[in-house]
Amino acid sequence: MNKNVPNILTMARIFCTPLIVILFLLPIPYGIGKYVALAIYVLGCLTDLIDGKIARKYGLVSDFGKFMDQIADKFITTTAMILVLFSGVTNAWAAPLILIVVVLRDILISGIRMVAANKNVVIAADIYGKVKSLFLDVANMILMLYVALRVTVAQNVADIIRYLGLAVLIVGAVLSIVSCLNYGINAMKALSPKNANNDKISQNSDKNNNLTENEEASETAKSNEEQPKKVETKKQNSEKSKTVKNKNVEK
């Protein structure tokens, strides 16, 4: 397995994003461009599932992959959301409101992660964030399908798809708020002075343990060095005693 495969799949989502924008906005007859843009978006979301599994299975996890994977997700998901929200799928006031909630949540959590990383603190992603991403991706797919279908099918049929997509999108926006609050609470706990003191205490105890282990090792080494010397002195003493006895016998 090529070690660059996960990173290639991650970068593919970024490179596909402008292609999705162009195909979605071009006035191609019968909404063909929008269908193709939807297909590319679905493939992009699938690469998000594949690259992580490949990296973990074959031990190809890298710092570059961790960093770029998050950027690629935000790149393609936020772009698709902007395209559908400003394509007349909802009210003029609701579209920017939903977008602001999702985007500001991502910015805030990215800032918290940077602060935590500077203090060598790892804050695990919560289940709300993962479910939120799933709902937003599915909502984008449904609404992109609606924008493509409303050109060729009856409006009442297309509206059913639109309402379904908006419902999923609202759930995703609510989960964004819940995830942000939960992540913020966990970050406050992890970055609190009490936990910092506990980390220092644990680090000091580790240092003391290392010192005691080093002292024991040095004492063991000294004893090992002294043992041959003791054996040599015993041999010398025994030889001296033998010579003394021999002299006494000769006398």
Side-chain angles (χ1 to χ4, degrees):
M1 174 64 66
N2 190 336
K3 64 180 181 180
N4 293 320
V5 169
N7 293 335
I8 291 172
L9 292 174
T10 298
M11 296 303 296
R13 292 201 296 281
I14 295 177
F15 293 131
C16 286
T17 301
L19 185 60
I20 292 171
V21 174
I22 293 170
L23 290 170
F24 192 86
L25 295 178
L26 281 177
I28 300 175
Y30 306 108
I32 294 174
K34 294 176 176 57
Y35 286 118
V36 177
L38 172 59
I40 295 172
Y41 181 74
V42 173
L43 291 175
C45 292
L46 290 176
T47 62
D48 186 25
L49 299 175
I50 296 171
D51 60 359
K53 289 184 178 180
I54 292 175
R56 288 187 293 270
K57 182 177 180 180
Y58 295 98
L60 302 176
V61 179
S62 63
D63 293 334
F64 176 83
K66 292 178 182 178
F67 178 73
M68 291 305 300
D69 185 67
Q70 298 177 14
I71 293 178
D73 294 343
K74 304 298 183 294
F75 228 76
I76 192 169
T77 301
T78 306
T79 299
M81 191 182 305
I82 293 171
L83 290 174
V84 296
L85 283 176
F86 292 96
S87 296
V89 299
T90 185
N91 297 327
W93 60 269
L97 179 62
I98 295 173
L99 186 63
I100 287 170
V101 168
V102 175
V103 172
L104 289 183
R105 177 261 181 197
D106 292 338
I107 294 173
L108 180 59
I109 290 182
S110 297
I112 293 173
R113 282 175 176 162
M114 290 175 64
V115 173
N118 288 332
K119 295 187 177 183
N120 295 323
V121 176
V122 178
I123 304 172
D126 60 359
I127 187 64
Y128 301 108
K130 295 177 181 179
V131 177
K132 177 268 306 179
S133 298
L134 176 63
F135 270 83
L136 292 181
D137 286 336
V138 173
N140 288 336
M141 294 175 191
I142 296 173
L143 291 175
M144 288 177 76
L145 178 62
Y146 159 74
V147 175
L149 284 174
R150 70 182 178 185
V151 180
T152 55
V153 301
Q155 187 63 37
N156 57 350
V157 176
D159 280 342
I160 296 174
I161 300 173
R162 179 169 72 94
Y163 294 141
L164 176 61
L166 288 175
V168 178
L169 184 63
I170 291 171
V171 173
V174 172
L175 287 173
S176 295
I177 299 173
V178 174
S179 172
C180 185
L181 293 174
N182 185 56
Y183 200 92
I185 293 170
N186 292 333
M188 290 176 64
K189 290 179 180 178
L191 298 173
S192 64
K194 185 182 292 185
N195 287 333
N197 292 329
N198 290 333
D199 292 338
K200 288 181 180 178
I201 292 170
S202 63
Q203 289 175 0
N204 290 330
S205 63
D206 291 338
K207 288 180 180 178
N208 292 329
N209 290 331
N210 290 331
L211 287 174
T212 53
E213 289 177 358
N214 291 330
E215 289 174 355
E216 290 177 356
S218 62
E219 289 178 358
T220 305
K222 287 180 180 179
S223 62
N224 291 331
E225 290 177 356
E226 290 175 355
Q227 282 179 358
K229 292 180 179 179
K230 290 180 180 180
V231 172
E232 289 179 359
T233 54
K234 286 181 180 180
K235 288 181 178 179
Q236 291 175 358
N237 291 330
S238 62
E239 289 177 356
K240 287 180 180 179
S241 62
K242 286 180 181 180
T243 55
V244 171
K245 286 181 181 179
N246 293 329
K247 287 180 180 179
N248 291 330
V249 171
E250 289 176 355
K251 288 179 181 180

